Amino acid sequence: MEHEPMTKFAYFKIYLLLMALLALTVGAVYVNLGPWNSLVAMAIAIAKALLVFLFFMHARYSARLIWIYAALAVIWIAQLIAGVLADVTMRG
């Protein structure tokens, strides 16, 4: 599957978007959102990780097998996090 190569301008746009998300992350530290602080920080971190995965790791134009492996990795991480959270919440 052929695709157009990423241009320097496209890389620069993604870089600027990542820098904006970084500034948003730093700004979120200074805003008291109560119990939503962690959720907002995780959402921003997921967005940054997704941008890096899609564009800098060239997964956007990769074969479907790469997408399957990426999905399996996300499922594995979710299971690990769920196990840790289950353990932490059950402790007295």
Side-chain angles (χ1 to χ4, degrees), residues 10-70:
Y11 279 123
F12 187 68
K13 286 193 310 188
I14 299 300
Y15 170 75
L16 288 179
L17 188 56
L18 286 169
M19 290 299 112
L21 287 170
L22 173 66
L24 191 62
T25 303
V26 172
V29 170
Y30 296 106
V31 177
N32 185 11
L33 299 174
W36 295 94
N37 275 6
S38 297
L39 186 65
V40 169
M42 286 301 294
I44 296 169
I46 288 170
K48 290 189 287 189
L50 194 60
L51 283 172
V52 169
F53 174 71
L54 288 175
F55 294 102
F56 291 117
M57 295 176 70
H58 302 284
R60 183 174 181 210
Y61 305 110
S62 295
R64 293 295 161 212
L65 186 61
I66 300 298
W67 285 94
I68 292 170
Y69 284 131

